[in-house]
Amino acid sequence: MKRLAILMSTAIIGLSAAVTPCFAEKIVMTGSTTVLPIAQKTAEVFMDENPGMDISVRGGGSSVGITALIDGTCDIADSSRPIKEVEIQKADANGRDPVAHIVALDGIAVVINKSNPISKLSKKQVKDIFIGKISDWSQLGGTPGKIVVVSRDTSSGTFEAFGELVMEKEKVIPAALMQASNQAVAQIVSQTPQAIGYVGLGFMSSDLKAVEIDGVMPSKDTVLSGKYSVTRPLFMYSNGKPQGAVKEYLDFVKSKKGQELVETQGYVGLK
Amino acid sequence: MKKHIVQNLGFLFIFLCLLTTLFFLGTIIYFVFTRGAQAISWDFLTKAPRNAMTEGGVAPVIVGTLYLTLGSMLFAVPLGLACAIYICEYSPKSLVVNIIRISINNLAGVPSVVFGLFGLAVFVNFLGFGVSIVSGSLSLGILALPLIISSSQEALVAVPHSIREASLSLGASKWETIKRIVLPTALPGILTGVILSVGRVAGETAPILFTAAAFYKRGYPRSIFSEVMALPYHIYALMTEGAHPDKQRVIAYGCSLVLLFLVLFISGFAIFLRQRQRSLHG
């Protein structure tokens, strides 16, 4: 028993020694799951170059990130949509001042299962599917079968952007499967033959099939040229004008090197 | 004769139930092992994640889990033990104690995600610890409290009254009796309970979801107020977020394997302690 006691106290002493704070510059980043791969990759490389930095990255969704910025629980909020008027008012009331930084461009790809023969849809058709007007693939000339609509949940910036760009603010049908992340949408669509969903361009993979929207395939080129219409900028919000570590990091993300990293994650860099 | 047949059928049924349970345990271990084994290597256990979570290892994640578990025990063991000693040794047998006892049992039935929300409201926001090791440890600690209290209580009750009386009759005070006689006798039982709750705490996701876990951090936590990566949440994050699902899935299974072995190892240690206690006192 004595040995055990010694073992336990060594563990405790070891723990307290290990957690003695050392003064590193700390950035807490949270928000959009769409921006998450960009945030993660750039933070990783940035910390490689600046060993004194301590950045932690979390997901949650754009609204979660902006709320955290307003509450003062994070330094940078990732968002795949611009901040809303209500949120600006709340931030004002809290004495916070969100400043937007565009870090990348992203197309929202409408995706279907690989076994689905459909390859083109108009924006109107996509909208009709998501509001429930079109409910069977045979109505679009596909193999008959009930369409399984997969959407993002309401705290998602991708959901908001899709709502603005495609749905024209109409509501997604209640029967839609609301998913908490891009990857969850991708997973369901890749496993369900009748499914249709939407994901950021960075989440496209060989397991999914993107459809042409109004005759344009989502790709880096069509997003950058503006030909592909379901395109939105991705943001990082800082509180006030960025300073110190936050400024250094955001400058890095917007630099040539940072934008190259953005491209490696499948997004469209700013040119 | 008929009685015999019924009895045998009954035994057969029970045996089949046992086999089914073992079958599930076996498939879980087999499934996680076959999918996760390819990810396991020395680097996997000792290096930090690299290249957008698709390469490298999970060392900071394992360390994060260890910190959270140790932290929760530092909080829950003294508190839980004190509670158990009070209930068993000091409190008068009354209605109040019964109410306390029922409350503790109810606490054990609270879903773990509720502890997470509680931690978010109280430790993260109200007390201002932020999303950190402290907040996560405290949330996990509260989750472990009822387990530790009830197992300590059992261990204390199991100490024969005659031993206590012998000590008191030699002139020892009540506290001396508890400290020198009752606690050392009950210690193996208490430790078993503690170790089992360590196993439980190490695998919990919900309480740390809002209070401690980060999707990505580089290297080891630098203070108890930093966010931390932890195995259960890391598995969840790899499966739901990030842009490279194929590569992430392999790592997620690797993490599951590590977590499974960690918990099996801890439980095995508890069983070993219990066996030893039995052979000493039985």
Side-chain angles (χ1 to χ4, degrees):
Chain A
M1 278 309 107
K2 210 169 193 178
R3 248 189 317 163
L4 252 170
I6 293 170
L7 206 84
M8 272 183 125
S9 44
T10 349
I12 291 164
I13 293 164
L15 179 81
S16 47
V19 295
T20 319
C22 88
F23 296 94
E25 293 202 78
K26 200 177 146 186
I27 303 176
V28 175
M29 206 171 4
T30 179
S32 167
T33 64
T34 309
V35 188
L36 194 65
I38 296 178
Q40 194 277 332
K41 182 72 197 180
T42 49
E44 185 181 324
V45 177
F46 182 69
M47 284 190 281
D48 282 344
E49 291 177 3
N50 304 276
M53 293 284 177
D54 182 19
I55 305 181
S56 67
V57 187
R58 317 182 74 209
S62 299
S63 299
V64 174
I66 289 174
T67 309
L69 190 74
I70 294 170
D71 292 344
T73 52
C74 74
D75 304 302
I76 298 176
D78 299 331
S79 178
S80 55
R81 61 168 171 81
I83 193 165
K84 293 178 203 163
E85 196 52 46
V86 216
E87 291 166 337
I88 294 176
Q89 284 166 10
K90 263 194 215 152
D92 266 349
N94 268 14
R96 309 276 291 180
D97 171 29
V99 174
H101 307 267
I102 297 181
V103 294
L105 291 178
D106 186 30
I108 302 176
V110 174
V111 290
I112 53 178
N113 191 269
K114 264 164 60 180
S115 67
N116 197 323
I118 302 268
S119 62
K120 294 172 189 192
L121 290 171
S122 70
K123 224 183 197 177
K124 178 88 178 40
Q125 282 171 323
V126 175
K127 181 185 162 188
D128 285 346
I129 293 173
F130 276 85
I131 61 176
K133 246 192 197 167
I134 300 177
S135 60
D136 200 287
W137 286 109
S138 60
Q139 286 169 272
L140 298 160
T143 350
K146 200 173 168 345
I147 299 178
V148 178
V149 176
V150 188
S151 172
R152 288 294 309 282
D153 61 88
T154 49
S155 77
S156 153
T158 311
F159 173 86
E160 305 258 349
F162 188 78
E164 203 127 300
L165 295 164
V166 178
M167 304 293 289
E168 291 154 331
K169 308 226 160 175
E170 285 198 56
K171 287 225 163 75
V172 173
I173 49 163
L177 306 170
M178 308 295 262
Q179 296 301 309
S181 70
N182 280 285
Q183 220 199 86
V185 172
Q187 215 159 10
I188 291 185
V189 173
S190 68
Q191 287 163 4
T192 316
Q194 292 94 0
I196 185 167
Y198 54 89
V199 293
L201 211 52
F203 293 86
M204 273 308 298
S205 72
S206 53
D207 293 335
L208 297 169
K209 182 174 165 185
V211 289
E212 285 181 17
I213 302 292
D214 293 333
V216 185
M217 198 68 182
S219 73
K220 272 176 196 172
D221 294 337
T222 54
V223 166
L224 202 58
S225 68
K227 256 191 184 164
Y228 186 70
S229 59
V230 196
T231 297
R232 41 58 193 280
L234 299 178
F235 302 91
M236 287 187 182
Y237 281 91
S238 62
N239 178 36
K241 244 184 115 201
Q243 278 170 344
V246 174
K247 180 178 180 346
E248 277 176 55
Y249 169 71
L250 286 172
D251 284 347
F252 173 77
V253 177
K254 289 186 263 184
S255 72
K256 188 158 176 282
K257 188 158 185 205
Q259 290 300 305
E260 277 168 19
L261 293 172
V262 166
E263 300 258 341
T264 62
Q265 297 306 303
Y267 297 83
V268 182
L270 309 161
K271 290 278 154 69
Chain B
M1 199 61 204
K2 199 180 158 219
K3 251 190 195 169
H4 238 74
I5 294 173
V6 172
Q7 176 179 298
N8 282 340
L9 276 179
F11 281 153
L12 185 71
F13 178 72
I14 293 170
F15 184 67
L16 283 179
C17 288
L18 174 81
L19 274 190
T20 321
T21 315
L22 285 180
F23 172 76
F24 282 126
L25 180 68
T27 33
I28 288 173
I29 292 176
Y30 171 78
F31 190 71
V32 173
F33 197 84
T34 47
R35 298 217 172 181
Q38 52 173 312
I40 305 288
S41 65
W42 182 245
D43 280 357
F44 187 77
L45 299 175
T46 55
K47 293 253 164 69
R50 305 282 324 155
N51 199 7
M53 317 282 245
T54 57
E55 288 161 26
V58 292
V61 188
I62 298 172
V63 170
T65 290
L66 292 181
Y67 276 163
L68 285 174
T69 314
L70 262 176
S72 67
M73 288 302 125
L74 285 182
F75 167 70
V77 172
L79 208 61
L81 194 53
C83 276
I85 291 175
Y86 177 79
I87 293 173
C88 287
E89 307 290 331
Y90 284 101
S91 70
K93 304 272 174 276
S94 72
L95 185 69
V96 184
V97 177
N98 271 333
I99 292 174
I100 294 177
R101 213 167 271 177
I102 291 168
S103 310
I104 291 168
N105 285 339
N106 273 327
L107 194 63
V110 174
S112 57
V113 70
V114 176
F115 288 112
L117 277 181
F118 173 78
L120 176 69
V122 175
F123 304 129
V124 176
N125 292 330
F126 183 69
L127 294 176
F129 293 150
V131 175
S132 64
I133 295 181
V134 185
S135 303
S137 296
L138 291 175
S139 308
L140 286 172
I142 296 179
L143 176 104
L145 261 181
L147 297 172
I148 289 175
I149 295 174
S150 55
S151 62
S152 304
Q153 245 178 294
E154 269 168 42
L156 290 173
V157 167
V159 176
H161 260 286
S162 54
I163 301 185
R164 286 192 184 85
E165 279 153 13
S167 167
L168 290 173
S169 71
L170 289 172
S173 70
K174 191 157 188 180
W175 172 236
E176 280 169 337
T177 305
I178 293 172
K179 199 172 68 174
R180 301 250 173 91
I181 308 294
V182 180
L183 274 185
T185 319
L187 194 61
I190 295 170
L191 277 181
T192 312
V194 169
I195 293 168
L196 283 177
S197 61
V198 164
R200 168 87 195 278
V201 159
E204 276 293 343
T205 318
I208 58 170
L209 199 57
F210 319 113
T211 56
F215 176 68
Y216 173 72
K217 269 190 81 79
R218 186 171 183 276
Y220 302 103
R222 299 190 192 188
S223 94
I224 53 168
F225 291 106
S226 50
E227 298 183 355
V228 71
M229 292 196 280
L231 278 170
Y233 178 76
H234 197 59
I235 295 169
Y236 169 76
L238 285 172
M239 293 304 282
T240 55
E241 290 168 351
H244 307 277
D246 303 345
K247 291 174 184 163
Q248 287 174 202
R249 205 165 300 153
V250 178
I251 298 177
Y253 277 111
C255 289
S256 312
L257 192 59
V258 171
L259 187 58
L260 193 68
F261 267 91
L262 204 69
V263 173
L264 283 182
F265 177 77
I266 292 168
S267 310
F269 190 58
I271 291 167
F272 166 75
L273 270 184
R274 194 159 40 192
Q275 285 312 108
R276 222 177 68 148
Q277 176 197 19
R278 271 195 198 141
S279 58
L280 283 180
H281 296 273

